[in-house]
Amino acid sequence: VFAPGGWIVPHALRALDRGGTLALAGIYMTPVPGLDYERDLYYERTVRSVTASTRRDGEELLRLAAEIPIATETTTMPLAEANGALQALKRREVRGAAVLVP
């Protein structure tokens, strides 16, 4: 999470699979609201802060990402099919990110 809004943290945690890690990378963040441990943290989910990264760290990461190369996958769907898109995500039928097009 690079966003400065702490309110995003519980939502991001709920989106993680078991064993997932949420990295908080913002230099500034508003307070994180209370968490429901069963829903948000159990099942080996972790929260880590990576705010100690330097500009050089970021430049190195981008250099490595260009060498790999990282390829993102998206599936576009019409906005009118938003409910179907959510069902496809739930059934893990979408690889990468689902993008709704208005």
Side-chain angles (χ1 to χ4, degrees):
V1 173
F2 288 96
W7 63 269
I8 294 173
V9 172
H11 299 283
L13 283 167
R14 285 178 221 142
L16 287 178
D17 281 337
R18 292 175 182 221
T21 298
L22 176 64
L24 304 178
I27 294 172
Y28 168 80
M29 183 174 281
T30 60
V32 175
L35 300 173
D36 177 319
Y37 279 75
E38 173 70 24
R39 181 189 61 206
D40 301 332
L41 287 174
Y42 283 2
Y43 309 109
E44 304 306 320
R45 293 184 189 107
T46 58
V47 179
R48 304 213 24 121
S49 172
V50 292
T51 57
S53 298
T54 65
R55 176 182 290 269
R56 185 172 180 183
D57 292 334
E59 290 168 348
E60 177 69 9
L61 174 64
L62 292 174
R63 186 188 64 72
L64 290 171
E67 288 177 11
I68 293 174
I70 293 176
T72 47
E73 295 184 37
T74 59
T75 301
T76 58
M77 300 175 189
L79 181 59
E81 295 178 22
N83 287 335
L86 291 172
Q87 290 299 317
L89 287 167
K90 182 178 180 180
R91 293 188 303 267
R92 297 180 184 256
E93 296 172 352
V94 175
R95 190 168 162 92
V99 179
L100 297 175
V101 180

